[in-house]
Amino acid sequence: MQQAEDALQPYFKENKNIAYKNFKKVMSAFTEYSVTESDFSGTTGYGYDDVGRDKLEEIYRDVFKAEDALVRTQIISGTHAISLVLLSILKHNDELLYITGQPYDTLEKVIGNTKEDVGSLKEMGVTFKTVDLKEDAFDTEGILKSINERTKIVGIQRSRGYSSRKSMTVDEIEQVIKIIKAEYPEVIVFVDNCYGEFAETREPLEAGADIIAGSLIKNPGGGIAKMGGYVAGRADLIQRVSYRLTVPGVGKEMGASLNALTDMYQGFFMAPHTVMESINGALLMSYVFEKLNMDPSPKYTDKRTDLIQSVSFNNEEEMITFTQMIQKASPVNARFMPIPDLIPGYQNPVIMAAGTFVQGASLELSADGPVRAPYTVYAQGGLHIEHVKYALEMSLTELLEKNMIEL
Ligand SMILES: *Cc1c(COP(=O)(O)O)cnc(C)c1O
């Protein structure tokens, strides 16, 4: 472990620079809007004149270089934030084109398979197409061929999520947007920014995207926010999204923040640092498992644009042992032992380890994967590197004791 940390010093140093650049953006927005203790007091009921809520949205707007932003506890998850974008902008006869292949699993019901899928885009008469990545790059030829006069939104998922493809960097996103907009300036480019915020020094709106969405129990909540999501981008689009979240004609004017604002502010303040800690933990994992020939992805030498780290084990037993040790090394619910189980939407049993303070928060250390060859576990998060290191030490010790690995 010491050797790993020594070898990773240059990468840690680079990540410190990224974190500091991002922190300066956040801090200068806090200063610009002179955040004051009274901003945290929140409102009740209808939530009119929620000064702290409105100010936080201005801070997100500036940091993400948007025209407008919506940052709300009433957005219950990342999936909700994304579906607000899709359901508010797309209309009957429009087409949605995802250019990073099949999107995140939880969007399946939003897109819909048949017209009987209640509330889905399909039911509304919106069609859906995907273009897969080609050798881990955008298939620009395929994309341009797939866009037609009905294509309203081009969707990009920045993070690989739980798939074997590569995550797309902001530079790569910028290049493909340039190519698309040169031919189709009217197309709206949406980026699912989940897991991506603050991993690099630029965000997708700076690369030409029109609208982005994400979850506050991931990166921008800094491990502190207890709930919420955000959408940021072009003002006319944010108006639509806000009308969909609340009520047409009301939009951002209403929505009480109760007592959630302190956590949302403090979380955003912490986020650049916590994202760095999490990525450094992923590097540590990647380095150690590369030395054990377990095919980590990305490699510790690869440029990072999100939190996800995958590791492939030799068999089911090793995969389960590792995941169980992540649970055992958690600050919360460590006495529960995860076992593989079938969950709707998956063909194989899935095993999940999550002992988090905030339910489902994946900026906190968690690990999961479908139990099938190549026995890949997706690990993400870690509020600080000490926790990831501790969990790694515990899992390696156990894998060694069971003669599953050799040093
Ligand atoms: C987590 C995630 C989502 C969904 O967010 P939830 O908060 O789990 O609903 C969507 N897309 C990507 C890339 C994600 O990582």
Side-chain angles (χ1 to χ4, degrees):
M1 206 61 69
Q2 188 58 51
Q3 184 205 337
E5 283 179 283
D6 290 344
L8 290 168
Q9 283 310 318
Y11 299 92
F12 291 166
K13 196 172 161 204
E14 172 59 19
N15 289 344
K16 256 193 167 10
N17 290 333
I18 294 172
Y20 189 57
K21 277 191 186 144
N22 284 327
F23 177 69
K24 279 204 284 197
K25 285 194 269 182
V26 172
M27 201 52 218
S28 65
F30 270 61
T31 309
E32 167 85 17
Y33 296 103
S34 49
V35 174
T36 310
E37 210 178 318
S38 58
D39 292 328
F40 304 151
S41 53
T43 53
T44 57
Y46 291 137
Y48 286 120
D49 304 315
D50 197 318
V51 177
R53 177 198 67 202
D54 295 347
K55 199 179 267 192
L56 183 65
E57 288 179 336
E58 291 178 313
I59 290 171
Y60 265 68
R61 178 190 69 196
D62 283 13
V63 169
F64 291 151
K65 309 287 189 287
E67 289 175 10
D68 202 357
L70 193 62
V71 185
R72 299 287 165 128
T73 54
Q74 287 87 2
I75 301 177
I76 60 162
S77 66
T79 306
H80 188 197
I82 295 162
S83 56
L84 285 171
V85 171
L86 301 178
L87 292 164
S88 64
I89 298 173
L90 293 162
K91 297 196 189 70
H92 186 81
N93 221 23
D94 286 341
E95 187 156 276
L96 167 64
L97 176 70
Y98 250 78
I99 61 170
T100 40
Q102 207 58 36
Y104 203 75
D105 285 316
T106 55
L107 290 169
E108 195 185 316
K109 291 282 174 213
V110 180
I111 293 162
N113 290 317
T114 70
K115 283 206 169 41
E116 280 69 53
D117 280 334
V118 175
S120 67
L121 291 169
K122 184 94 178 183
E123 188 193 49
M124 284 163 56
V126 173
T127 58
F128 173 63
K129 276 201 310 220
T130 60
V131 178
D132 285 331
L133 297 180
K134 205 169 165 183
E135 285 157 15
D136 274 342
F138 285 111
D139 175 9
T140 40
E141 209 176 297
I143 293 166
L144 292 178
K145 252 192 245 156
S146 299
I147 298 177
N148 58 51
E149 67 291 345
R150 294 196 300 108
T151 310
K152 173 74 93 36
I153 294 185
V154 165
I156 297 174
Q157 187 181 301
R158 175 175 173 182
S159 170
R160 59 193 288 194
Y162 304 127
S163 74
S164 55
R165 71 158 172 100
K166 187 175 109 39
S167 298
M168 305 316 283
T169 65
V170 176
D171 281 346
E172 289 166 318
I173 290 172
E174 180 166 46
Q175 282 169 20
V176 79
I177 294 177
K178 266 203 190 114
I179 293 167
I180 293 169
K181 295 251 174 180
E183 281 206 37
Y184 302 98
E186 298 299 313
V187 156
I188 295 165
V189 177
F190 160 65
V191 177
D192 170 358
N193 209 26
C194 283
Y195 282 140
E197 299 90 354
F198 299 130
E200 298 191 52
T201 53
R202 292 194 309 153
E203 298 295 336
L205 295 174
E206 295 165 79
D210 297 292
I211 189 162
I212 60 175
S215 163
L216 264 56
I217 62 170
K218 293 181 179 173
N219 306 18
I224 309 267
K226 303 295 181 286
M227 57 206 265
Y230 79 90
V231 183
R234 243 168 61 187
D236 61 319
L237 302 177
I238 296 301
Q239 184 192 32
R240 283 191 175 279
V241 171
S242 72
Y243 279 17
R244 172 95 198 181
L245 174 68
T246 64
V247 173
V250 171
K252 294 176 69 179
E253 300 300 312
M254 292 171 80
S257 48
L258 302 179
N259 55 4
L261 287 170
T262 314
D263 289 347
M264 291 163 87
Y265 273 95
Q266 194 180 352
F268 205 52
F269 173 84
M270 289 301 295
H273 177 77
T274 312
V275 168
M276 173 194 77
E277 291 286 325
S278 166
I279 290 177
N280 286 346
L283 291 179
L284 195 58
M285 214 178 272
S286 188
Y287 184 94
V288 167
F289 283 106
E290 184 166 318
K291 296 296 160 198
L292 293 167
N293 293 318
M294 283 185 173
D295 194 27
S297 167
K299 308 275 181 225
Y300 70 90
T301 48
D302 290 341
K303 181 176 167 65
R304 300 268 162 165
T305 190
D306 67 352
L307 308 185
I308 306 267
Q309 180 65 51
S310 80
V311 180
S312 295
F313 292 89
N314 296 309
N315 53 52
E316 189 171 327
E317 291 71 35
E318 286 180 14
M319 176 184 182
I320 293 172
T321 300
F322 174 77
T323 312
Q324 289 179 339
M325 293 317 285
I326 296 287
Q327 184 78 34
K328 210 167 181 178
S330 296
V332 185
N333 290 344
R335 70 192 177 87
F336 298 137
M337 182 77 100
I339 48 167
D341 201 4
L342 280 169
I343 53 174
Y346 290 84
Q347 260 113 42
N348 301 82
V350 174
I351 185 160
M352 300 181 163
T356 55
F357 292 97
V358 174
Q359 187 191 103
S362 42
L363 182 58
E364 299 184 48
L365 181 61
S366 46
D368 31 64
V371 183
R372 60 159 186 250
Y375 306 105
T376 302
V377 175
Y378 296 89
Q380 61 277 318
L383 295 179
H384 45 60
I385 195 169
E386 288 79 13
H387 183 204
V388 180
K389 183 177 166 182
Y390 178 83
L392 260 176
E393 278 178 358
M394 269 182 66
S395 351
L396 292 179
T397 306
E398 183 76 5
L399 288 165
L400 261 176
E401 261 171 29
K402 291 190 174 169
N403 290 318
M404 291 171 163
I405 54 169
E406 279 173 46
L407 288 187

